[in-house]
Amino acid sequence: MLRFVIDPGDNHGVGVAFTDRVDVSGRGLGDVGFEGFNLGRTDEDPTVLEHVESLRSQLGLGPVMVCHQIHGNEVWWVGPDDVEGWTPQRYLGDSIEGQPKLPIADAMVTDLPGVALAIRVADCMPIILADPKAGVVGAAHVGRVGFLAGVLPAAVKAMREMGATELLAWLGPHICGRCYEVPAEMAEQVWAEHPATRAVTRQGTPALDLGAGALAQLESLGVTAVGLDPCTREGDDFFSHRRDHGAGRQAGLVWRACDVQ
């Protein structure tokens, strides 16, 4: 359920968490689909809200804000009006008839306490950003398309406009360079623009290491970043779109606690 957590009390009031696919009971998982602690795909899984509520209870979270991710570079500043109209059902997004559409974005930022930002993924990178002392937090959905579109520079720019000066970042579990095979022409194009992404699979075919690319880009932006190693495709502890097409989603979350300075 929870793969990695930073308690707000240890991080100037900013909490960070990454989930996995392991069921809250610790039971073994099947090979495909939504089985496990799914926090994303809702069209065929009625348990998502139960999982969100379980997560909120365990981490002491307020509203868990999500966006409609499209592999772009739009940044949503989550303000008071957004939170005021938020209900738990909003997490299910456009699958609920008559409900307001989720904002289209691939990064979210806020300086509001008591509000969690959640990015949902199944091989893409959930990247958490924060300036704990300034009280500004952000979360980005970073796959190949969004990375090339500049979602990370856009998120960093938005946070600095909100007063962040000393940004930290955490890269959540994602598909590794040994598993992310791409066509040779695509690989050459990405490598030319982002040399740190150069990788090969175990079979020696062209691949992309988006984690290395993101770490290099964040460093160039003046962000201190830490990468987490687990590959989502290599084991069944994580949902993986490449391994199980149509799988559920794990999440990366960040929040400012209301009562920690």
Side-chain angles (χ1 to χ4, degrees), residues 49 60 63 74 83 101 130 145 156 189 215 251 259:
L49 279 186
E74 290 296 320
V83 177
K101 301 291 186 182
V145 176
V156 168
Q189 291 173 347
L215 286 171
D259 57 353

Side-chain angles (χ1 to χ4, degrees), residues 8-151:
D10 299 325
N11 196 31
H12 297 280
V14 172
V16 176
F18 295 100
T19 71
D20 58 23
R21 185 186 174 199
V22 177
D23 188 89
V24 66
S25 67
R27 292 193 299 267
L29 300 172
D31 294 331
V32 297
F34 301 113
E35 187 175 355
F37 199 72
N38 176 26
L39 290 169
R41 290 283 302 281
T42 62
D43 48 355
E44 299 177 23
D45 186 356
T47 67
V48 170
L49 279 186
E50 295 176 18
H51 295 160
V52 173
E53 289 306 304
S54 175
L55 193 65
R56 289 182 63 232
S57 176
Q58 186 164 345
L59 294 174
L61 302 178
V64 179
M65 315 294 288
V66 292
C67 52
H68 182 184
Q69 301 167 192
I70 62 168
H71 298 276
N73 60 9
E74 290 296 320
V75 181
W76 174 29
W77 178 66
V78 178
D81 290 345
D82 302 307
V83 177
E84 183 179 353
W86 197 265
T87 64
Q89 288 72 27
R90 289 295 309 280
Y91 191 95
L92 299 179
D94 303 345
S95 63
I96 303 298
E97 186 175 352
Q99 187 166 260
K101 301 291 186 182
L102 289 175
I104 294 175
D106 283 273
M108 297 180 285
V109 298
T110 194
D111 56 4
L112 298 176
V115 177
L117 309 179
I119 290 294
R120 301 174 285 185
V121 293
D123 282 337
C124 293
M125 287 180 289
I127 297 186
I128 298 306
L129 298 141
D131 181 336
K133 292 183 179 179
V136 179
V137 299
H141 166 231
V142 187
R144 174 180 55 85
V145 176
F147 175 70
L148 295 176
V151 67

Side-chain angles (χ1 to χ4, degrees), residues 5 132 155 161 197 221 225:
V5 179
E161 289 175 350
T197 64
L221 293 167

Side-chain angles (χ1 to χ4, degrees), residues 150-239:
V151 67
L152 279 176
V156 168
K157 180 176 183 289
M159 294 179 72
R160 287 187 170 141
E161 289 175 350
M162 297 171 66
T165 57
E166 299 180 20
L167 280 167
L168 308 174
W170 296 264
L171 280 63
H174 57 277
I175 193 168
C176 73
R178 298 181 302 274
C179 292
Y180 189 15
E181 182 180 17
V182 297
E185 183 178 357
M186 176 187 294
E188 292 289 350
Q189 291 173 347
V190 178
W191 294 345
E193 187 174 353
H194 300 280
T197 64
R198 181 180 290 271
V200 294
T201 66
R202 293 179 181 81
Q203 295 74 36
T205 54
L208 299 178
D209 188 336
L210 290 182
L215 286 171
Q217 186 174 67
L218 288 166
E219 182 180 2
S220 74
L221 293 167
V223 178
T224 302
V226 176
L228 303 178
D229 293 334
C231 173
T232 49
R233 192 178 189 274
E234 289 179 337
D236 66 2
D237 281 359
F238 296 97
F239 293 107

